[in-house]
């Protein structure tokens, strides 16, 4: 097999192939030339564009078809010439990662009176892929963020229902999800470089807004050229200079006080401080049609404000962000070109919070150096044969957390339900070194266009892709490696007044990193082949196959991944009128993700932290109800806890050890993990008309091979180096009774009502159901407990099927734009209406397992998760927003002055949009605050424990909803209130 993997890429390069779905940096143009309805061979087709160095020419084949690949996105002029025939020219847009079409009907020059141009469908209708494309010019004139994130959220099938990594993620926003997948499972490309951070999967900010040229979002029916994702593909390209010099200077002005306060009663007044974000771009030629340059820079020194969770203490934040980009586009010869780009970002922040912090001592600083390098070569060896190669890498590092390593100042204090923390920052900062999450990729593709008289045309693509994720992360969880679980005291002003420990529930958590990271390398070597076959002017097909070979070693250098999978992609399109006006599409595809870093690295004895939970059985310090003036100060509480802990032998005492998660000890691999996958079926219809188009797509997805830990009596026990015995679990993939499925109907379209007025929009109806979330706010990827201590967890209410966290039933974006040219400049007005139905959440909690009999485990779990309601039984609010944009452009000799203003959430809607920031506390017998109501056998006494396999819990007896259940806990629960912002600048 190894020899085969080495040989196949060479064989593929020898096979004539042509590119279907361009990956990351270019688009394609195809079409047919006819005369009196018959194919016309021998027509010379010439294309020119400001985005293209020089011109490119080809000749139509026997079927009258032609094809251009690897075209820089932009506006193109297409000329069709044949001796004796009238010349026809077309102008059209070639879009990123899409195929555009320009057909032509030629007539005899002696009889033709006018040019005849055959109208064709928009690029979005030309492919069976479900796609949306946005140019920088479109985004700039809408009231949206000019970032990749802001652009992607305009596309159908996309939302921001993913978890928030930390409190402070403003505007009611979460991580991007596409077509029902987890937020870490999308593929983000900038200039063809993967910019996903390789643990949480979120795109890094490796762009300068004014440097972005366009973005394409693929949400279904995706070509075999793309892999390592289960959601969607987002491809962004930056500008590339040109024969004409051009550039811009911009100042983006914002102010926290320009955002109206939300309805959250405890929100403090924001600071009033105008922040400037400066951007500049410049591009042009070094040698006309041979060597172009482009450069961009961005600087922001932002001051803001935030407040702590629950205690509502205001604090200042700052963010200093420096970005720059350099790009060279060179024509080595008339048929060989090279593009080199480099992007660097240095972000430094203060006032950074992790989790629900209660005090200012928990704030940290964060530094994030980040860079991107891409080298792309393309060579035209014949008019139909093209070869491409790319090398790319992204380097990302960061440091955040406490800088004091001693027990008193470096220990975090925690209280659960919901988890709140204080006293020391989460993680360990610069003193513990930078954490690195990098990637690199080698890609080779060859392409060939084949035109046959009887079997139509074939666009064939084949290639080899070698992608590596590299992680060197010594993941210290606190300055001292310790956390203490207990209870907080609050004074009359709601501020933390003290901390206490109760031997019935307090614990000492120790999170050591056993050894420093040796850098993990998880890679995917892929082969792909794809044929876009146009049988005739009515029928076309797509047949693709991708082979992915996953392999890699964890941070201790131990091989944990060795897997392979095939991904077939099939599609058919039917044009009943043979004129591009109506098009029906169906597709089937299997998408295979990569083996995720988190599970694959879970047993690493280097870099990763272990977690030991010790029961605190010492004297009670600051019992519940202690008067505030009698509280033992926090430093003495911490010292007292550790004095007792050390007196009984500390971490060497197995009698106080409650549970542990130790990499390489408490879990093992019996075999390699496999990459999760999903099967997708789509069906669509597109309608093109004179001034617009409409497209409808149905998407069905079903996931399989989820990450699980199986820990049973049969998986056995293990003894660690200290002589402690643990139940050992097996990390693996499972299907079992685990489910995750997605069904959606997506609509999108645009229509130009008149020359100055246009309307565009999209709507998505979707259902996301199952019992696998697969991610949370603490970890990018989570294990689904299906057979982890099954005697304690395999009851129906542990993992019921229902509405998953990302279940948004309705989502719509509709925008209108109006152009108003005047003698004193041009105005552009836009209005964007957004609607999103409410996100769900559940009534669930950890329950005591004291009613269950231990069948023989060394350390049986003391708790299990229990759904007291249906999964997703509750929902927050529906969200609507009306946003306005006003842009003004005034030409002044060779430069244009522009002023752009946005008014977001015009009517100041105050919906609660994010369940993560809503109180979801359900009290059980584990908490002293859970007391029986009047329906209980002993009203006022502690709630009763129950057997989850045998008993049906009763509210008021076995559990109670917290007093603030369903209420917002922070300002972040609300959608962005009314907000103003403005940009001014010059463009030349």
């Amino acid at each position: 097999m190894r020899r085969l993997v080495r040989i196949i890429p060479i064989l593929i390069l020898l096979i004539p192939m042509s590119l279907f779905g361009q990956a990351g940096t270019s688009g394609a143009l195809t079409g047919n030339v006819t005369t009196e309805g018959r194919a016309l061979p021998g027509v010379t087709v010439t294309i020119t564009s400001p985005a293209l160095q020089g011109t490119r020419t080809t000749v139509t084949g026997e079927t009258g078809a032609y094809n251009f690949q690897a075209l820089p996105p932009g506006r193109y002029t297409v000329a069709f010439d044949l001796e004796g025939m009238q010349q026809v020219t077309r102008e059209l847009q070639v879009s990123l990662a899409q195929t555009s079409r320009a057909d032509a009907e030629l007539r005899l020059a002696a009889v033709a009176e006018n040019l005849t141009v055959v109208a064709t469908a928009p690029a979005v209708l030309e492919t069976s892929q479900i796609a949306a494309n946005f140019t920088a010019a479109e985004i700039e004139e809408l009231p949206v963020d000019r970032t990749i994130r802001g652009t992607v959220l305009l596309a159908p099938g996309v939302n921001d229902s993913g978890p928030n990594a930390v409190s402070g993620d403003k505007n009611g926003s979460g991580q991007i999800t596409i077509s029902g997948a987890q937020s870490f499972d999308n593929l983000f490309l900038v200039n063809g470089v993967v910019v996903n951070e390789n643990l949480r999967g979120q795109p890094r900010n490796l762009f300068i807004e004014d440097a972005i040229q366009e973005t394409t979002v693929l949400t279904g029916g995706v070509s075999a050229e793309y892999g390592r994702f289960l959601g969607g593909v987002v491809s962004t390209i930056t500008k590339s200079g040109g024969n004409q010099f051009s550039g811009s200077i911009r100042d983006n002005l914002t102010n926290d006080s320009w955002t109206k306060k939300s309805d959250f009663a405890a929100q403090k007044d924001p600071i009033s401080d105008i922040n400037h974000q400066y951007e500049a771009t410049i591009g042009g030629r070094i040698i006309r049609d041979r060597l172009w340059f482009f450069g961009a820079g961005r600087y922001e020194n932002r001051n803001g404000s935030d407040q702590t969770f629950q205690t509502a203490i205001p604090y200042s934040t700052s963010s200093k962000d420096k970005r720059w980009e350099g790009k060279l586009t060179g024509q080595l010869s008339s048929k060989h070109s090279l593009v080199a780009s480099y992007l660097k970002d240095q972000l430094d922040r203060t006032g950074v919070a992790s989790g629900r912090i209660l005090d200012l001592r928990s704030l940290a600083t964060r530094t994030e150096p980040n860079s991107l390098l891409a080298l792309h070569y393309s060579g035209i060896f014949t008019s139909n044969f093209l070869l491409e190669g790319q090398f790319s890498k992204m380097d990302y590092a960061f440091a955040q957390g406490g800088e004091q390593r001693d027990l008193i100042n470096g220990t975090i204090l925690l209280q659960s339900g919901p988890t709140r923390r204080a006293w020391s920052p989460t993680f360990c900062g610069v003193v513990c070194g930078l954490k690195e999450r990098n990637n690199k990729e080698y890609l080779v593709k060859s392409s060939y266009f084949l035109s046959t008289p009887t079997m139509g045309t074939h666009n064939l693509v084949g290639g080899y892709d070698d992608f590596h994720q590299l992680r060197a992360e010594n993941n210290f969880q606190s300055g001292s490696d310790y956390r203490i679980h207990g209870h907080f005291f609050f004074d009359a002003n709601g501020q933390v007044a003290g901390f206490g420990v109760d031997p019935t529930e307090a614990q000492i958590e120790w999170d050591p990193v056993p050894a420093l990271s040796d850098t993990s390398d998880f890679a995917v070597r892929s082969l792909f082949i794809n044929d876009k076959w146009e049988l005739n002017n009515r029928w076309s097909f797509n047949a693709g196959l991708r082979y992915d070979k996953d392999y890699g070693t964890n941070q201790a250098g131990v091989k944990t991944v060795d897997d392979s999978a095939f991904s077939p992609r099939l599609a058919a399109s039917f044009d009943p009128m043979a004129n591009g006006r109506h098009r029906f599409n169906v597709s089937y595809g299997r998408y295979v993700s990569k083996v995720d870093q988190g599970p694959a690295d879970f047993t690493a004895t280097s870099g990763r932290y272990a977690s030991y939970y010790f029961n605190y059985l010492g004297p009670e310090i600051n019992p519940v109800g202690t008067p505030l003036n009698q509280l033992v100060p926090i430093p003495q509480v911490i010292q007292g806890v550790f004095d007792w802990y050390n007196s009984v032998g500390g971490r060497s005492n197995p009698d106080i050890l409650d549970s542990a998660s130790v990499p390489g000890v408490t879990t093992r691999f019996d075999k390699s993990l496999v990459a999760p996958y999903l099967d997708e079926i789509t069906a669509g219809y597109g309608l093109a008309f004179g001034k617009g188009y409409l497209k409808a797509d149905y998407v069905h997805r079903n996931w399989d091979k989820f990450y699980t830990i199986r820990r049973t009596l049969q998986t056995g026990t293990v003894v660690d180096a200290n002589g402690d015995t643990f139940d050992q679990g097996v990390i693996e993939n499972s299907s079992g009774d685990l489910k995750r499925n997605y069904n959606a109907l997506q609509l999108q379209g645009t229509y130009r009502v008149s020359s100055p007025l246009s309307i565009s929009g999209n709507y998505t109806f979707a259902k996301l159901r199952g019992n696998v979330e697969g991610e949370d706010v603490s970890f990018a990827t989570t294990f689904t407990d299906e057979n982890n201590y099954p005697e304690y967890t395999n009851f129906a209410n542990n993992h019921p099927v229902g509405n998953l966290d990302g279940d948004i039933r309705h989502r719509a974006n509709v925008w209108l734009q109006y152009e108003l040219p005047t003698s004193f400049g041009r105005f552009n007005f836009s209005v964007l209406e957004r609607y999103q139905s409410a996100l769900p959440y559940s009534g669930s909690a950890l329950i005591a397992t004291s009613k269950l009999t231990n069948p023989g485990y060394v350390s049986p779990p003391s708790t299990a998760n229990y759904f007291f309601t249906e999964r997703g039984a509750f929902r927050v609010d529906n969200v609507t927003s009306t946003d306005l944009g006003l842009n003004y452009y005034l030409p002044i000799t060779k430069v244009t002055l522009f002023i752009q203003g946005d008014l977001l959430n015009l009517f100041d809607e105050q919906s609660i949009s994010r369940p993560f920031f809503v109180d979801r506390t359900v009290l059980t017998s584990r908490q002293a605050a859970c007391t029986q109501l009047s329906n209980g056998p002993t009203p006022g006494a502690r709630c009763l424990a129950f057997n989850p396999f045998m008993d049906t819990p009763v509210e008021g007896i076995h559990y109670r909803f917290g007093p603030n259940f369903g209420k917002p806990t922070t300002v972040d629960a609300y959608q962005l209130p009314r907000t103003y912002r403005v940009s001014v600048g010059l463009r030349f």
Side-chain angles (χ1 to χ4, degrees), residues 424-744:
S424 182
T426 302
F427 309 123
C428 184
V430 175
V431 67
C432 293
L434 293 176
K435 303 177 182 180
E436 298 181 16
R437 301 175 183 174
N438 309 323
N439 72 56
K440 62 180 179 180
E441 184 174 18
Y442 307 86
L443 175 66
V444 179
K445 299 185 297 185
S446 64
S447 59
Y448 188 75
F449 177 70
L450 177 64
S451 179
T452 67
T454 59
M455 296 301 292
T457 64
H458 296 265
N459 283 292
L460 295 144
V461 58
Y464 172 69
D465 185 4
D466 188 2
F467 177 75
H468 295 254
Q469 292 187 107
L470 309 170
R471 181 185 181 194
E473 183 168 341
N474 298 309
N475 198 8
F476 297 96
Q477 293 295 289
S478 66
S480 69
D481 296 338
Y482 278 99
R483 302 179 177 193
I484 298 175
H485 299 252
H487 53 263
F488 289 103
F489 290 83
F490 301 93
D491 61 23
N493 297 317
Q495 308 304 304
V496 173
F499 186 74
V501 289
D502 179 346
T504 65
E505 58 184 5
Q507 287 189 319
I508 301 166
E509 177 184 346
W510 179 44
D511 302 315
V513 175
L516 298 184
S517 173
D518 196 30
T519 305
S520 65
D521 183 356
F522 292 107
V524 184
R525 288 176 175 165
S526 305
L527 302 171
F528 55 88
I529 184 169
N530 204 97
D531 178 15
K532 187 171 188 286
W533 171 29
E534 293 192 6
L535 177 62
N536 51 44
N537 57 4
R538 282 185 167 84
W539 284 100
S540 62
F541 305 92
N542 181 74
L545 182 66
R546 185 180 183 91
Y547 171 78
D548 293 317
K549 174 67 176 177
D550 288 71
Y551 69 98
T553 56
N554 63 23
Q555 292 188 87
V558 178
K559 186 175 183 179
T560 59
V561 175
D562 187 1
D563 173 52
S564 62
F566 287 94
S567 308
R569 315 280 175 86
L570 305 171
S573 297
F574 177 60
D575 183 348
M577 307 297 292
N579 60 7
R581 297 299 187 185
H582 303 269
R583 182 156 299 182
F584 296 88
N585 298 297
V586 294
S587 76
Y588 163 77
R590 171 164 289 187
Y591 306 134
V592 179
S593 185
K594 60 188 179 300
V595 177
D596 196 77
Q597 281 254 343
D601 199 49
F602 201 73
T603 61
T605 55
S606 299
R608 286 189 56 85
Y609 67 94
S611 290
Y612 297 84
Y613 294 87
F614 299 94
N615 293 320
Y616 173 74
L617 304 178
E620 190 169 10
I621 307 176
N622 292 334
V624 174
T626 302
L628 298 183
N629 60 357
Q630 297 179 23
L631 289 175
V632 176
I634 286 179
Q636 295 179 33
V637 174
I638 297 174
Q639 188 63 59
V641 168
F642 282 110
D643 285 345
W644 171 85
Y645 177 67
N646 293 325
S647 72
V648 297
R651 52 184 181 252
S652 63
N653 184 351
D655 294 333
I656 62 172
L657 180 63
D658 177 72
S659 62
S661 175
V662 184
V665 177
T666 55
T667 53
R668 70 174 190 269
F669 291 103
D670 279 354
K671 56 184 178 180
S672 170
L673 284 176
V674 303
Y677 68 85
L678 67 82
D679 290 317
E680 176 193 79
I681 297 173
T682 73
Y685 166 71
L687 169 65
F689 44 91
K691 295 183 179 180
Y693 76 90
L694 289 172
K695 193 171 190 291
D697 293 287
Y698 167 73
V699 180
H700 168 75
R701 288 180 162 189
N702 190 49
W703 278 254
D704 209 337
K705 298 300 181 185
F706 305 100
Y707 297 116
T708 65
I709 295 179
R710 176 170 54 89
R711 185 180 281 107
T712 68
L713 293 174
Q714 287 70 43
T715 59
T717 60
V718 65
V719 179
D720 71 358
N722 297 322
D724 296 322
T725 302
F726 299 94
D727 301 302
Q728 191 174 52
V730 177
I731 300 174
E732 59 190 14
N733 300 90
S734 179
S735 302
D737 64 349
L738 301 180
K739 294 179 175 61
R740 185 183 180 97
N741 57 69
Y742 175 80
N743 290 279

Side-chain angles (χ1 to χ4, degrees), residues 708 734-739 770-773 783-804 842 844 864-871 948-949:
T708 65
S734 179
S735 302
D737 64 349
L738 301 180
K739 294 179 175 61
N771 55 9
V772 177
E773 298 291 354
F783 295 103
T784 300
D785 287 342
E786 181 196 20
N787 282 301
N788 191 27
Y789 295 108
E791 296 86 354
Y792 291 83
T793 60
N794 275 8
F795 50 87
N797 288 56
N798 181 255
H799 49 276
V801 173
N803 301 324
L804 295 175
S842 307
S844 64
N865 194 50
Y866 192 96
F867 280 79
F868 293 94
T869 67
E870 292 183 358
R871 184 187 290 269
F949 290 91

